[in-house]
Amino acid sequence: MIFTWTPHRFSGGSLALDVANSVILHSGLARRTDRFEVAEQMDAFSKAATQFSAERSLFGEIKPVAEPNRKDFLALREAIDAYFRRRVGGHDDRVLLADLLQACARMLKQSASEATLEAATARSALRLLAETERLKICGNCGWLFLDRSRNRSRTWCDMAVCGNRVKASRHYRRKKEAMP
């Protein structure tokens, strides 16, 4: 399946979270969709990340994942998702943290001097470890995101899509309840 990498797809606030969010319905195996299943999609992601990622100024132009590194890159994505989802729940899982650090080290060892998606993602994940108190999961789509609002009250990843859906649903329920 071909996807278009729009700015909404980069609403995680961190390249590492945007990579983790490349799997739709991560926990629902029956409806799970991996946007990196097709190699061209993964390659297109790096170009879009250069344009839309919140950390684009840190990484500049990002080259696609090198063919020999794809399997390890997907393992890094899974480690990012597993650790930070658990962290949002208030759990500091040292085994998952060790897995994440090991996956980051493997990626940086393979392509540390290159401006590739795998190296940038590993660096982003390491930076993200310092911001876990702002980490949340969208109540609508389940994506991971950084809440950069002043009072940390954001409950959705992107106002234009998920926020709008939540507000419209709430309005519909209120209106329906008010009807005789």
Side-chain angles (χ1 to χ4, degrees):
M1 182 180 276
I2 302 299
F3 295 98
T4 303
W5 297 110
T6 61
H8 165 68
R9 307 289 179 210
F10 293 87
S11 57
S14 161
L15 180 62
L17 297 181
D18 296 332
V19 167
N21 292 338
S22 67
V23 175
I24 303 169
L25 300 171
H26 214 283
S27 59
L29 293 179
R31 294 177 37 202
R32 176 187 159 115
T33 303
D34 183 351
R35 293 190 172 163
F36 289 164
E37 217 167 53
V38 177
E40 292 81 24
Q41 287 296 120
M42 190 186 299
D43 294 344
F45 182 89
S46 62
K47 183 177 180 182
T50 298
Q51 198 174 6
F52 303 127
S53 173
E55 295 177 317
R56 64 187 170 272
S57 63
L58 294 173
F59 302 119
E61 188 173 338
I62 301 170
K63 297 176 193 167
V65 176
E67 183 63 40
N69 297 345
R70 289 183 189 252
K71 183 178 176 186
D72 288 337
F73 175 69
L74 294 175
L76 172 61
R77 177 187 66 180
E78 296 306 313
I80 290 168
D81 189 77
Y83 176 74
F84 289 113
R85 278 189 191 281
R86 187 92 167 120
R87 188 76 181 152
V88 169
H91 306 287
D92 191 13
D93 192 318
R94 292 179 185 191
V95 172
L96 291 177
L97 177 59
D99 291 345
L100 173 62
L101 294 173
Q102 185 177 29
C104 287
R106 188 177 310 115
M107 286 287 84
L108 291 172
K109 183 178 179 183
Q110 291 172 2
S111 58
S113 62
E114 301 172 32
T116 60
L117 180 58
E118 60 267 38
T121 301
R123 288 185 186 101
S124 176
L126 294 172
R127 290 173 46 95
L128 192 56
L129 289 170
E131 292 190 88
T132 57
E133 72 280 351
R134 290 190 172 272
L135 198 59
K136 292 188 176 179
I137 298 176
C138 179
N140 186 54
C141 68
W143 280 2
L144 291 161
F145 70 95
L146 284 173
D147 179 2
R148 297 202 188 276
S149 65
R150 210 181 295 183
N151 63 357
R152 299 179 188 181
S153 61
R154 206 168 111 202
T155 58
W156 47 73
C157 63
D158 183 23
M159 180 58 204
V161 178
C162 290
N164 191 37
R165 287 180 185 156
V166 169
K167 287 182 175 190
S169 177
R170 192 180 319 145
H171 174 73
Y172 175 78
R173 275 195 311 274
R174 279 193 218 129
K175 198 165 184 130
K176 191 173 179 180
E177 289 170 1
M179 295 176 81

